[in-house]
Amino acid sequence: MDPVPELDQDPGFVSATDVADRLRLVDYLPDDKIAGTVYLAERLFKPILVEGPAGTGKTELAKSIAKATNARLIRLQCYEGLDEAKALYEWDYRKQLLHIQSAAGTKFDENDIFSEDYLLTRPLLEAIRAEDQVVLLVDEVDRLDIETEALLLEVLSDYQVSIPELGTIVARRKPLVFLTSNNSRELSEALKRRCLFLHIDYPSAEREREIILARVPGISDRLATQVAEIVRSLRSMDLKKPPSVSETLDWAQTLVILATDVVTDQELQDNLHVLLKNQGDIAVASKRFGGLSA
Ligand SMILES: Nc1ncnc2c1ncn2[C@@H]1O[C@H](COP(=O)(O)OP(=O)(O)O)[C@@H](O)[C@H]1O
Ligand SMILES: [Mg+2]
């Protein structure tokens, strides 16, 4: 395949502050570390490996960056058993077979059926070939089998895909790449080496308050502050599964629907199941909060 000239990269973000401002415009509230890492990744053309507890805004970060930059989001959702044919490309066997059948009796060139026309493009190849601006999200990469993880390496370090029958396809415009992981298993050193590392933990009460205000229409400042404080105190308890930001938002939404002004102890007790999904945790929290109000 002929080498293709690189397209001009978009100027992109001008500073970490610019990243933060533009994320806020699409209702994503970053902290300095998140904004700084995204800025650096874009400048260095490096993928970001985002790790941290569930529901802390890892996937949402990639989606929000796409939105903030008017880029197209291409998502590869990882799962056990995902293979090359679903992640990179596969040959359209049906079409190839039809071609062979229709050419029966005549001589045909085998190269014909290993050409672009017979190629089915999957997310990684699609991101590499894209001519428009793209954000590639490789979501929950820790769910991949370790052998499949190796498929990512060429894409992540060289922004290219090798197809034996066609040659090497090099990105004309390097996509910004996000990989997310819930840390269900240790990722390979080779993969980690290619990425910038970003750990997203639970937000501070102040940032969570802002997230609530941005994401729950109609909530009062006072209620958002109270919700954020209560969630913070829940996370300081020794719980099996502390509430995530998604659960905070569900609860805040619930309170708005119930037209709550201020959360009373009774309401908190009644709604703990929205925040906590483990009966043991609910018992622990119920006792603690009950004890406080007695
Ligand atoms: N910093 C943030 N700003 C705005 N919303 C956030 C933020 N972090 C989390 N959220 C909210 O929490 C939800 C869950 O986040 P998500 O990215 O799906 O979590 P995960 O870390 O498991 O990928 C999102 O849909 C979003 O509404
Ligand atoms: Mg996610």
Side-chain angles (χ1 to χ4, degrees):
M1 189 159 276
D2 292 334
V4 279
E6 268 201 23
L7 296 177
D8 283 345
Q9 297 289 334
D10 259 24
F13 298 112
V14 297
S15 64
T17 316
D18 183 35
V19 176
D21 291 346
R22 283 161 73 180
L23 278 174
R24 281 195 199 97
L25 283 177
V26 295
D27 289 335
Y28 188 92
L29 282 300
D31 59 13
D32 292 348
K33 200 175 63 178
I34 295 174
T37 309
V38 170
Y39 177 62
L40 209 60
E42 207 211 25
R43 299 307 299 269
L44 296 172
F45 297 118
K46 277 214 168 210
I48 307 182
L49 173 59
V50 193
E51 180 237 76
T56 48
K58 300 182 296 295
T59 303
E60 193 67 23
L61 173 62
K63 290 187 187 170
S64 302
I65 287 289
K67 215 166 163 192
T69 56
N70 271 321
R72 178 159 60 104
L73 181 77
I74 297 182
R75 179 175 185 165
L76 176 65
Q77 177 62 53
C78 300
Y79 53 87
E80 212 180 307
L82 177 77
D83 60 8
E84 190 167 7
K86 289 286 167 286
L88 277 168
Y89 68 89
E90 66 185 316
W91 291 106
D92 190 340
Y93 297 121
R94 245 172 55 96
K95 209 170 160 190
Q96 287 178 322
L97 207 63
L98 285 173
H99 181 92
I100 295 170
Q101 282 168 349
S102 68
T106 64
K107 271 184 81 71
F108 86 101
D109 186 353
E110 200 183 295
N111 287 328
D112 285 352
I113 56 166
F114 288 104
S115 62
E116 289 280 340
D117 286 350
Y118 297 86
L119 192 66
L120 296 172
T121 306
R122 304 300 183 210
L124 294 179
L125 180 59
E126 190 185 343
I128 290 300
R129 295 221 296 195
E131 304 238 326
D132 54 339
Q133 208 184 331
V134 153
V135 168
L136 171 63
L137 165 61
V138 182
D139 212 15
E140 306 189 343
V141 67
D142 52 329
R143 292 213 206 169
L144 283 184
D145 314 304
I146 190 112
E147 306 80 53
T148 317
E149 192 188 300
L151 286 176
L152 292 171
L153 298 180
E154 188 185 15
V155 172
L156 297 182
S157 55
D158 303 322
Y159 295 91
Q160 67 179 40
V161 173
S162 301
I163 304 178
E165 299 86 349
L166 285 182
T168 301
I169 298 179
V170 185
R172 300 186 67 188
R173 189 197 268 269
K174 290 177 186 157
L176 192 53
V177 184
F178 290 85
L179 298 100
T180 76
S181 163
N182 287 319
N183 233 346
S184 68
R185 70 165 172 83
E186 190 70 22
L187 300 170
S188 75
E189 288 303 319
L191 182 101
K192 287 194 267 184
R193 230 182 1 256
R194 284 163 173 82
C195 301
L196 293 182
F197 180 70
L198 173 64
H199 181 83
I200 303 189
D201 214 330
Y202 298 114
S204 66
E206 173 52 26
R207 188 156 70 93
E208 196 150 17
R209 185 184 75 92
E210 289 181 58
I211 297 173
I212 298 167
L213 286 170
R215 298 267 162 159
V216 182
I219 196 162
S220 72
D221 203 3
R222 179 165 136 198
L223 189 56
T225 308
Q226 201 191 2
V227 167
E229 289 296 341
I230 291 170
V231 168
R232 181 173 60 177
S233 66
L234 279 171
R235 289 198 192 116
S236 72
M237 295 174 195
D238 189 19
L239 302 178
K240 283 208 180 63
K241 169 79 186 60
S244 68
V245 179
S246 341
E247 278 141 0
T248 306
L249 293 175
D250 287 345
W251 187 42
Q253 189 72 64
T254 306
L255 294 171
V256 170
I257 292 170
L258 298 175
T260 310
D261 259 351
V262 200
V263 183
T264 61
D265 289 323
Q266 190 54 51
E267 264 157 337
L268 177 55
Q269 297 280 357
D270 291 348
N271 286 302
L272 274 175
H273 62 280
V274 183
L275 283 166
L276 302 172
K277 307 290 164 67
N278 174 294
Q279 194 48 45
D281 287 349
I282 293 178
V284 170
S286 182
K287 212 161 138 197
R288 282 283 285 281
F289 283 124
L292 288 178
S293 66

